[in-house]
Amino acid sequence: MTFDEAQGYAVLATLAAPLLAMLLLIFVPGANKMAARYVSLFFAAVMLGLSIYIFTAYQVSGPSFAAGEGLQMQLRWDWLENIGIFGKHGISLYLGVDGISATMALLTGIVAFAGTLAAWKLDYRTKDFFILFWMLVGGVYGTFFSLDLFFFFFFYELAVVPLYLLIGVWGSTRKEYGAMKLTLMLVAGSVLMWIAIFAVFREAGAQTFDMPTLWAAGRDGTLSPTFQKTFFPFFVVGCGVLAALWPFHTWSPDGHMAAPTSVSMVHAGVLMKLGAFGIIRLGIQMLPIGAEFWMPSLLVLGTVGALYGATAALTQRDFKLVSGYSSVSHMGYVLMGLATMNSIGVTGAVLQMFSHGVMTALVFLMIGALYDQAHTRDMKDFGGINKVMPLWVVFYALAGLANVGLPGLSGFTAEFHIFVGTFRTYPLFGGIAIFAAALAAAYMLRMFSMVFWGPFNPRWSTLKDLRPVEAIAAGLLLGAILFMGLWWAPFTDRIGATVILLPGVTG
Amino acid sequence: MDQRDYTIFIPEFIAAGSALAIIGLELFFPKIRRDIPAYLTALAALAWGIAGAFYIGKDPNNFQGLVQSDNYTTFFRLLAASIVFVTALMSASYMRERTKTAAEYYGLLLLAGCGLVYMAAARELITAYISLELLSFCLYILVGFLKRDSLSSEASLKYILLGAFSSAMLLYGISIIYGVTNSTGYDQIAVQLAQRSGDTDGAVIVGFVLILAGVGFKVSAAPFHMWAPDAYEGAPLPITGFLSTLSKAAGFALFVRLFTAAFQVDAPEWRWAVAFLAAATMVIGNLIAIQQSSLKRLVAYSSIGQVGYMLVVIAAIGYGDQELGRNASSALLLHIGGYVVSTLALFAALTAYYNRTGKDTIVGLRGLAETQPLLAMVITVSLFSFAGLPFFAGFATKLIMFQSATTDGLLWLVGLAVVNSFISLYYYLMVIRQMYLFEPEGGLTRFRPSPLLGALAGVLMLGVVFIGVYPTALYKAADRATETLYQQAPTGAVQAP
């Protein structure tokens, strides 16, 4: 076994952990809620540890980097080979990471751990909740790690399946509507991907779902330019639904509003990133000619999304809707960054995926902490909360400032890269993006002034500050925000080294 | 090679012999417990399956060119035995509570299974037709078996009338094809169709379309699906499951053998019709399913939608070459396997639920996740499998089937199928919603399903997950089953009977 393979088992273990947690939880008696929580916490800690290992062990130079063309820690188990339409490596459980997915794995580990803590107090059908929660996390990990198109799609869908029940059973405001809308829109997106996958498999004629093979087919023209231009929109719109690409974002505010805290955290924090990740894997890497043709249109949609999300967030009264629309806005930046197709812009997009992941998770964690006690999320009802929940205000304010892009916090690092990248290729849109960032400052400060300060409403004098579990989860997320804001080299090195290898990305 | 090799019939001798014995059982033991025949039938099906397993991998062998025993036949033989086995167990307590004499019921299950086997094995149109009628007559009686229930009788009557009509069309189609090709053997038809001159185009098209319509009736393809919802609703619950597995599998067993071995040479004359039939079937089935409030009718329309997906493969046989046709056929067999297991799991759970509560509407499932979590889980798993969500059989089998059927001329149809499976997710979620999102009516009293049905549902659910996670074994079997589809029968064996 080579070192690379041995590391591959670390990736496999990370993917297996949530699925194992699911299996184990099935046998935990439903009445024993603490057992379900501790089993979950144990596996969450394992995942966090393994994710940190994967991120740190990823090498940005040296023989191991050169050998895999950026892919490392590869492991392949053949699943269907030489039967029917499938040839060598027809469908294989082919895992591996590059700089982008290593970063995303770290994000997943952090958010899943924080999400477990956030669900600590959840008392209604705890065991069932965690089973579905780990199914969601397993799907997310699987999508980031899969280098086989079949399993990529398998895990992508697996992440969507449990959401309906997670939101429908444990959610709040208009949960049935939100759950149904979210599920149907996301699955409608994967319908498009499904069709395009059939076409790519057939057109490439390689009898395999192996992604590196299909990427090669995209680069060397086996997938003809016309074909690529035809099917690129299928992938981008299909994945874009999940990435809240305007105008397919409408599930996002409703879904976030309805979802329970920890599901919102994983959903906004990680799951939406699957969409952007899919655009990189299936769009840019598999159909580079199509990407070159369509990217200007994606830039326009991303910019509109960034502006629209920020404007809509300005007028909301529900905390979760503010965050929901601000997510649309921030995912708009991600798409803009991808659409620049230069290395700094795309790097910025991936940084933003991480940054938005941790800060949104923190925001939703804080909203949940308040909502559990106050049972309302109408911002007009609040005021002067800093008098009763000072710690809560600190965490929320820092997350909000990261949203705005304050230097020293992760949002600044990410958005700075994106703006520089956009200015290089499309100066006009760079200007619009900065204007949208200014709007972000407006909606965040509006919320701060309405909720944190101002006249204290005595109705809230019974509110208690964060509980220890919540403070630990928040501390972890804040740590990630500060880490990326203050010392971003570990991120930019890994992402940049991978991004420059993407087809069509300029230096 | 012996032209009259009776050994290829041994498994069905066992099945049919036991069927007669079971039917006669109550003559001699009138006081017998009403569920004993069910267990005997399950045993007979087991023996039948074990006998069938000895034929795996044997060289193809045939009986005067009429009936061929090869891996394809064996695949469907094992499938038929499993369906009968599960249905018999499922029916035990259901029929015991509702009828005084049920022995015929179980005998007919076995005979219907034999009908399926010979539809798969037939290499000659008349044999295929007779097998199809054997199956249909068994089903007519089974659907109307609860004769005191007017819905059941009405369903049976509708089914018989429309079935007779479709048989007439099928026979008419067969006779036209016979008129053009001067043969009813598949191989001879293929040879003659390849050699025919252009002036028979009209007759051939009419013949194909009539045959398509006739078999389309049996598998309830739209626009010939009208009987299905009524028959499904009126039939005893286990028979509804039997209808949606056995009769579909049988129709496709016949379709695939006939269209690959005999008709593929003349594909341009019929493939457009199959493509149209597939498109219409999936769209109509899924759109009407949305509006249903009865669970049985919902399943009926959803299974019509499923037939639409399977017909995509028959269309692909017409639009592709032999290699594609074979690959698509083996993927279809894989999908049928997954579909059968999912459907049986669903019906095992529904029967268990119905035996306890007597409810069969969608709203009736309200709060099942609280009152009986296992059954709720089984129902959810099988519905998700139908919708094609990962971890469950439907995802892998459907994806492989559609991928195998993707040709340049058919991408639109495959796309339509994917859109349809998206529509189907909506109405499946409406069922799942009732079970998980609402409190049960009449309090939180838990109930236990009967141990047999609970275990059956659980095992079948594991089967659904197993096929979804590791379809390789079934796919290999399906792949070997299709090896001989395009081969001519061994020369010298093909003779007029």
Side-chain angles (χ1 to χ4, degrees):
Chain A
M1 196 189 328
T2 63
F3 182 60
D4 198 51
E5 261 180 83
Q7 284 185 315
Y9 282 98
V11 173
L12 181 71
T14 320
L15 172 60
L19 305 178
L20 217 61
M22 258 173 76
L23 262 185
L24 209 63
L25 281 171
I26 290 178
F27 297 104
V28 171
N32 195 345
K33 289 177 181 161
M34 275 332 268
R37 287 174 191 141
Y38 278 112
V39 167
S40 296
L41 186 66
F42 171 75
F43 278 100
V46 169
M47 277 174 244
L48 179 61
L50 284 167
S51 302
I52 292 173
Y53 171 76
I54 291 170
F55 182 74
T56 48
Y58 184 82
Q59 293 169 352
V60 288
S61 57
S64 162
F65 183 81
E69 292 179 344
L71 295 174
Q72 290 172 28
M73 313 184 199
Q74 301 177 49
L75 182 78
R76 187 203 291 275
W77 285 350
D78 282 308
W79 197 62
L80 279 179
E81 204 174 17
N82 300 324
I83 320 178
I85 48 170
F86 300 109
K88 191 170 160 38
H89 298 320
I91 300 180
S92 51
L93 184 64
Y94 182 18
L95 305 175
V97 290
D98 60 7
I100 299 171
S101 48
T103 312
M104 289 299 108
L106 179 64
L107 171 68
T108 314
I110 294 172
V111 174
F113 188 82
T116 311
L117 291 178
W120 200 255
K121 217 176 58 180
L122 186 121
D123 216 33
Y124 178 63
R125 286 154 77 176
T126 313
K127 167 187 152 177
D128 300 351
F129 176 86
F130 276 114
I131 291 177
L132 292 169
F133 182 76
W134 292 124
M135 193 173 185
L136 168 64
V137 173
V140 170
Y141 268 128
T143 314
F144 287 140
F145 292 149
S146 288
L147 293 175
D148 179 281
L149 190 52
F150 176 88
F151 276 104
F152 183 93
F153 194 56
F154 180 98
F155 287 117
Y156 186 92
E157 289 277 281
L158 186 64
V160 176
V161 178
L163 280 176
Y164 179 76
L165 290 176
L166 279 172
I167 296 175
V169 177
W170 290 275
S172 53
T173 330
R174 289 208 297 165
K175 58 185 183 180
E176 278 170 50
Y177 171 79
M180 188 59 98
K181 183 171 180 182
L182 177 144
T183 312
L184 290 184
M185 283 193 73
L186 295 190
V187 176
S190 43
V191 164
L192 292 176
M193 290 170 64
W194 206 342
I195 295 172
I197 287 172
F198 289 142
V200 164
F201 182 92
R202 169 98 185 137
E203 181 83 6
Q207 298 197 323
T208 175
F209 276 120
D210 182 67
M211 282 219 270
T213 311
L214 295 173
W215 294 339
R219 277 199 305 272
D220 67 18
T222 312
L223 305 175
S224 69
T226 329
F227 177 87
Q228 296 201 15
K229 285 174 197 165
T230 315
F231 284 99
F232 184 81
F234 280 71
F235 279 135
V236 167
V237 174
C239 298
V241 175
L242 190 49
L245 167 71
W246 186 88
F248 308 104
H249 66 279
T250 55
W251 60 271
S252 162
D254 287 317
H256 285 142
M257 189 165 74
T261 305
S262 50
V263 173
S264 280
M265 288 168 65
V266 172
H267 189 206
V270 188
L271 196 62
M272 286 171 84
K273 277 69 199 173
L274 286 190
F277 186 73
I279 293 177
I280 298 176
R281 279 277 191 262
L282 308 179
I284 297 177
Q285 286 185 274
M286 199 177 297
L287 307 173
I289 303 169
E292 198 185 330
F293 181 78
W294 282 104
M295 274 311 181
S297 319
L298 184 64
L299 183 82
V300 174
L301 291 182
T303 314
V304 174
L307 264 182
Y308 171 86
T311 320
L314 263 178
T315 60
Q316 301 305 323
R317 287 174 57 178
D318 186 317
F319 283 113
K320 277 198 163 180
L321 280 180
V322 175
S323 304
Y325 280 110
S326 110
S327 290
V328 173
S329 172
H330 283 95
M331 290 309 288
Y333 290 142
V334 172
L335 298 172
M336 287 176 77
L338 292 179
T340 59
M341 291 296 271
N342 58 44
S343 67
I344 192 159
V346 178
T347 305
V350 181
L351 288 173
Q352 172 79 337
M353 281 154 73
F354 183 90
S355 155
H356 176 250
V358 281
M359 71 199 184
T360 312
L362 183 52
V363 166
F364 278 116
L365 177 65
M366 292 302 109
I367 295 173
L370 182 67
Y371 180 73
D372 283 347
Q373 304 180 53
H375 302 291
T376 172
R377 288 194 305 257
D378 192 335
M379 288 170 14
K380 284 240 158 74
D381 288 353
F382 293 97
I385 296 295
N386 63 341
K387 294 200 174 60
V388 280
M389 299 175 78
L391 195 59
W392 181 85
V393 165
V394 170
F395 278 119
Y396 204 152
L398 282 171
L401 291 172
N403 253 300
V404 176
L406 187 79
L409 299 173
S410 64
F412 173 76
T413 314
E415 285 173 22
F416 184 74
H417 279 83
I418 293 175
F419 295 153
V420 172
T422 317
F423 267 115
R424 283 214 179 145
T425 350
Y426 308 96
L428 172 67
F429 287 94
I432 299 177
I434 289 182
F435 177 66
L439 284 179
Y443 65 73
M444 272 302 159
L445 294 178
R446 166 174 171 269
M447 189 176 75
F448 289 177
S449 67
M450 278 170 81
V451 179
F452 298 170
W453 296 292
F456 179 65
N457 182 344
R459 180 179 158 198
W460 304 120
S461 52
T462 56
L463 289 186
K464 293 198 175 57
D465 210 350
L466 293 181
R467 287 172 295 118
V469 274
E470 288 167 345
I472 294 170
L476 180 69
L477 292 168
L478 185 64
I481 293 175
L482 287 170
F483 184 55
M484 189 187 222
L486 295 173
W487 187 41
W488 55 80
F491 294 95
T492 48
D493 285 352
R494 285 169 176 76
I495 299 166
T498 306
V499 161
I500 199 70
L501 294 173
L502 297 179
V505 171
T506 53
Chain B
M1 192 172 294
D2 191 358
Q3 289 175 25
R4 292 172 185 263
D5 183 359
Y6 287 96
T7 57
I8 64 172
F9 299 117
I10 289 174
E12 282 71 38
F13 287 153
I14 297 176
S18 334
L20 295 179
I22 289 167
I23 291 175
L25 196 63
E26 283 182 342
L27 285 177
F28 301 103
F29 304 100
K31 295 251 159 90
I32 195 172
R33 255 174 62 139
R34 300 298 170 222
D35 52 353
I36 297 288
Y39 305 125
L40 289 178
T41 307
L43 276 181
L46 206 61
W48 179 22
I50 291 170
F54 284 106
Y55 292 78
I56 296 172
K58 286 264 180 69
D59 286 334
N61 200 352
N62 69 54
F63 188 84
Q64 292 202 325
L66 301 177
V67 165
Q68 174 150 334
S69 163
D70 52 13
N71 282 335
Y72 185 76
T73 309
T74 308
F75 183 89
F76 281 101
R77 185 176 272 156
L78 295 180
L79 194 69
S82 335
I83 295 174
V84 172
F85 177 80
V86 174
T87 311
L89 290 182
M90 232 193 273
S91 311
S93 56
Y94 184 95
M95 294 310 287
R96 186 181 163 195
E97 286 160 22
R98 284 172 184 77
T99 53
K100 292 212 171 66
T101 55
E104 298 91 337
Y105 173 95
Y106 296 105
L108 288 171
L109 288 184
L110 283 165
L111 289 177
C114 297
L116 159 60
V117 174
Y118 289 104
M119 282 167 79
R123 277 192 85 90
E124 196 262 347
L125 281 172
I126 304 292
T127 313
Y129 172 75
I130 293 171
S131 318
L132 184 115
E133 287 301 293
L134 172 63
L135 172 68
S136 300
F137 276 82
C138 293
L139 290 176
Y140 298 152
I141 304 171
L142 287 171
V143 166
F145 205 85
L146 300 176
K147 53 182 182 253
R148 289 177 201 287
D149 179 354
S150 60
L151 260 180
S152 180
S153 306
E154 181 200 331
S156 181
L157 188 64
K158 257 186 195 159
Y159 190 17
I160 291 172
L161 289 177
L162 286 171
F165 180 56
S166 74
S167 298
M169 292 209 295
L170 181 58
L171 277 177
Y172 194 25
I174 290 175
S175 56
I176 291 176
I177 294 296
Y178 175 73
V180 174
T181 61
N182 198 23
S183 171
T184 55
Y186 291 180
D187 300 327
Q188 209 50 33
I189 290 176
V191 173
Q192 294 294 331
L193 284 178
Q195 291 169 355
R196 74 185 174 84
S197 60
D199 56 358
T200 49
D201 273 354
V204 169
I205 291 175
V206 171
F208 284 149
V209 169
L210 283 173
I211 290 180
L212 199 57
V215 187
F217 249 112
K218 304 296 179 193
V219 297
S220 67
F224 316 114
H225 65 283
M226 306 298 185
W227 61 272
D230 294 316
Y232 276 55
E233 196 179 21
L237 194 52
I239 292 305
T240 312
F242 196 62
L243 270 177
S244 54
T245 50
L246 192 87
S247 78
K248 306 275 191 258
F252 280 95
L254 176 62
F255 259 141
V256 169
R257 176 92 85 178
L258 180 62
F259 280 73
T260 52
F263 293 168
Q264 210 250 355
V265 287
D266 227 355
E269 313 297 345
W270 54 262
R271 59 190 186 190
W272 52 272
V274 183
F276 165 77
L277 204 64
T281 306
M282 59 177 100
V283 170
I284 290 177
N286 282 313
L287 287 186
I288 302 184
I290 293 178
Q291 306 153 11
Q292 301 309 314
S293 59
S294 152
L295 205 51
K296 281 176 166 179
R297 289 185 87 86
L298 179 104
V299 174
Y301 281 108
S302 114
S303 81
I304 293 171
Q306 296 283 339
V307 166
Y309 309 147
M310 297 179 198
L311 279 170
V312 174
V313 168
I314 309 295
I317 290 171
Y319 279 90
D321 51 10
Q322 287 205 355
E323 193 196 346
L324 187 128
R326 195 200 140 191
N327 287 336
S329 307
S330 52
L332 172 65
L333 262 52
L334 168 68
H335 181 68
I336 288 178
Y339 167 76
V340 163
V341 178
S342 310
T343 311
L344 290 177
L346 175 68
F347 276 94
L350 289 182
T351 310
Y353 180 65
Y354 188 73
N355 282 347
R356 284 283 182 268
T357 60
K359 292 182 197 161
D360 63 351
T361 55
I362 296 172
V363 185
L365 286 176
R366 186 163 279 219
L368 188 62
E370 293 284 344
T371 51
Q372 190 19 258
L374 172 72
L375 294 185
M377 190 151 100
V378 175
I379 294 174
T380 307
V381 163
S382 42
L383 292 182
F384 274 163
S385 172
F386 289 151
L389 295 180
F391 256 151
F392 311 123
F395 178 80
T397 62
K398 214 192 263 182
L399 195 139
I400 291 170
M401 178 172 78
F402 288 155
Q403 183 69 71
S404 306
T406 306
T407 64
D408 301 336
L410 270 188
L411 188 62
W412 66 272
L413 188 60
V414 172
L416 187 68
V418 178
V419 171
N420 268 287
S421 72
F422 161 63
I423 297 173
S424 73
L425 180 64
Y426 173 74
Y427 58 80
Y428 295 136
L429 280 181
M430 297 309 275
V431 177
I432 291 163
R433 177 170 164 262
Q434 294 290 342
M435 296 191 295
Y436 282 91
L437 266 52
F438 297 112
E439 294 293 317
E441 281 165 357
L444 265 173
T445 42
R446 285 207 171 206
F447 65 90
R448 300 182 74 84
S450 72
L452 175 68
L453 282 174
L456 196 62
V459 168
L460 286 167
M461 181 185 74
L462 290 182
V464 174
V465 174
F466 179 74
I467 297 176
V469 175
Y470 191 72
T472 315
L474 185 60
Y475 195 18
K476 275 195 178 131
D479 194 49
R480 290 188 65 190
T482 52
E483 269 166 8
T484 48
L485 275 184
Y486 283 96
Q487 284 168 13
Q488 295 268 312
T491 45
V494 184
Q495 282 182 1

